[in-house]
Amino acid sequence: MRKLWRHAQLTTLAGDAPWGRLADGALLTSGERIAWIGRDADLPRHLDVDAEHDLEGALVTPGFVDCHTHLVYGGARDDEFEARLHGASYAEIARQGGGILATVRATRQASDESLFASARRRALALLTEGVTTLEIKSGYGLTLADEARCLRVARRLGRELPLTVVSTYLGAHALPPEFAGCPDDYIAAVCAWLPALHAEGLVDAVDAFCETIGFSRDQTRRVFDAARTLGLPVKLHAEQLSHQNGAALAAQYGALSCDHLEYLDAAGIQAMAAAGTVAVLLPGAFYFLRETQPPPIAALRAAGVPLAVATDHNPGSSPLLSLLLALNLACTLFRLTPEEAVRGATVHAARALGLADRGILAVGRRADFAVWTLDHPRELTYWIGGCRPSRVIAGGQEVNRHALIATGSSLSA
Ligand code: NIG
Ligand code: FE
């Protein structure tokens, strides 16, 4: 199926021109890929196409990539939000058995079907804003069976929704109660489970939470060694609440990304730059936890570390289901430029997932794009709410979001 999209203001993000903009552009898709892109006036004559769409000057961007989410879980943590408003801290709540472990209890109790239905609703909220690629981490099961269940839900979302889902094993997210006092034994179990999860095709990458309330550098290293044995790429929740030297360790393993990074130091930045590791900025968690130390953006920029932006959707530190709001927060709180923020949720986010076939609009890339009735792409970072693409195309196919939402509500009722 060859489809021609004409008279678009293309924001290709390709090349060195600001935004890779092409006024009055055209784009030809062939199956899942972009077959031609350029100025409408330069379209080859006598093109053989199955369908032609006139976009009447609308803005077209690459589909968004949300490269860090914890989308599959049971329950919610609005009670902790309220407790924090009364003075409790995120780390205190975690030490008292709440936090991640509260969600672990709810996730273990939830049926496969309810985990799927709630994650599907969340995925559709992101898709509605133009997200066409989504990373989903496990980490709320913390037994082999429950981690596998959550990863299977992620895979099923990728099969049943018009989205690419990348799944990340985050067994080293928190210490489950059955291993209380024995974190090294738990890490041994996390490593022992990985081959079975991988053999079932459930794992694209391996992550860990390197933090005082998570796992140490040495424990993180053991998880990374297990990943390396299987040839799986790694990434890390690093330097979120304190400086642990996790980013430098992850860079030694050629990590795809280090994420959060509020307490990253100069050595970590250099290690990431040398390894080509992407810095994934998560302003939703920074905002929701009322953190005060932003990541060292200027130094990361100066070192040439690619900056990505993601929602970090999870029930504890970032119950955020809007990548567009994450872009606005990245600009207001972290001082990214609008173009940096948009590149951070497209081309650099794709790189954080090891995906070289998307994130820009260019011949041969996936035909994932969103159409917006906006005049300039920086508006994507400017409006706070209310901005939705008029059309979303994933793998060359137009996504019928209303039909998907209607089907889901009857299934999950
Ligand atoms: O990315 N930092 C660790 N993990 C999540 C929070 C998980 C939770 O609180 O449930 C994060 O912020
Ligand atoms: Fe996270």
Side-chain angles (χ1 to χ4, degrees):
M1 199 56 171
R2 284 158 65 85
K3 298 176 192 162
L4 182 59
W5 302 81
R6 300 191 61 180
H7 305 302
Q9 281 193 66
L10 296 176
T11 298
T12 68
L13 304 177
D16 293 330
W19 300 92
R21 287 190 88 185
L22 258 182
D24 202 20
L27 190 154
L28 175 70
T29 64
S30 176
E32 294 188 341
R33 303 275 151 183
I34 297 172
W36 190 91
I37 185 163
R39 292 192 326 139
D40 200 275
D42 296 336
L43 265 174
R45 288 179 187 205
H46 314 302
L47 267 182
D48 190 14
V49 300
D50 302 292
E52 186 170 320
H53 304 274
D54 185 350
L55 292 176
E56 297 174 343
L59 191 80
V60 172
T61 64
F64 284 128
V65 177
D66 193 350
C67 67
H68 181 140
T69 84
H70 309 247
L71 212 74
V72 178
Y73 58 85
R77 306 233 293 277
D78 45 289
D79 53 340
E80 292 181 8
F81 176 51
E82 192 166 6
R84 285 196 292 111
L85 288 167
H86 287 291
S89 79
Y90 180 73
E92 271 161 27
I93 292 169
R95 280 192 212 100
Q96 287 161 9
I100 295 173
L101 291 185
T103 301
V104 170
R105 289 190 286 278
T107 303
R108 289 179 179 179
Q109 277 166 19
S111 68
D112 294 3
E113 238 7 84
S114 79
L115 285 176
F116 177 75
S118 61
R120 184 182 186 277
R121 277 196 296 277
R122 296 172 197 131
L124 286 177
L126 294 168
L127 176 63
T128 297
E129 281 193 350
V131 171
T132 49
T133 301
L134 180 62
E135 187 252 18
I136 300 179
K137 301 173 194 297
S138 68
Y140 291 119
L142 311 187
T143 63
L144 174 57
D146 289 302
E147 287 293 286
R149 273 181 347 112
C150 294
L151 292 168
R152 283 185 204 117
V153 167
R155 282 283 186 251
R156 184 174 162 201
L157 285 171
R159 280 196 307 273
E160 296 190 17
L161 292 180
L163 275 170
T164 304
V165 171
V166 173
S167 73
T168 300
Y169 173 49
L170 179 56
H173 195 197
L175 187 64
E178 47 291 5
F179 285 87
C182 308
D184 286 322
D185 294 345
Y186 179 61
I187 289 297
V190 165
C191 297
W193 299 337
L194 180 56
L197 297 169
H198 180 50
E200 199 183 316
L202 295 175
V203 184
D204 297 317
V206 175
D207 195 349
F209 184 28
C210 185
E211 189 54 67
T212 49
I213 57 167
F215 296 95
S216 69
R217 261 171 69 91
D218 280 345
Q219 289 158 349
T220 301
R221 190 194 309 274
R222 288 165 59 200
V223 174
F224 284 175
D225 283 333
R228 182 181 266 178
T229 305
L230 297 171
L232 286 167
V234 299
K235 42 182 56 231
L236 189 66
H237 282 70
E239 338 295 1
Q240 179 187 8
L241 307 169
S242 62
H243 177 64
Q244 299 288 320
N245 262 315
L249 172 72
Q252 278 170 28
Y253 284 79
L256 287 173
S257 71
C258 291
D259 304 36
H260 288 288
L261 301 174
E262 278 77 350
Y263 290 84
L264 182 66
D265 68 356
I269 293 171
Q270 284 318 316
M272 287 176 64
T277 298
V278 177
V280 177
L281 307 171
L282 304 169
F286 177 89
Y287 161 77
F288 195 64
L289 297 182
R290 300 184 77 231
E291 294 292 330
T292 50
Q293 175 162 325
I297 302 298
L300 284 163
R301 200 186 268 138
V305 175
L307 305 176
V309 179
T311 61
D312 190 18
H313 176 83
N314 74 74
S317 69
S318 187
L320 169 63
L321 282 172
S322 168
L323 190 54
L324 289 173
L325 180 53
L327 297 186
N328 175 267
L329 294 174
C331 295
T332 52
L333 300 176
F334 294 166
R335 316 310 289 165
L336 260 60
T337 67
E339 185 173 353
E340 280 177 326
V342 170
R343 288 184 184 272
T346 50
V347 53
H348 296 156
R351 178 166 165 178
L353 299 179
L355 299 173
D357 65 345
R358 65 197 71 202
I360 62 171
L361 299 177
V363 170
R365 304 294 174 119
R366 262 183 80 79
D368 289 352
F369 55 93
V371 181
W372 311 80
T373 44
L374 299 172
D375 293 323
H376 194 284
R378 74 180 154 243
E379 288 181 77
L380 295 166
T381 69
Y382 163 75
W383 298 109
I384 304 176
C387 190
R388 293 275 180 279
S390 51
R391 310 171 89 153
V392 177
I393 286 77
Q397 301 277 353
E398 180 138 16
V399 174
N400 186 340
R401 290 162 290 165
H402 299 298
L404 287 166
I405 290 165
T407 325
S409 52
S410 59
L411 277 179
S412 61

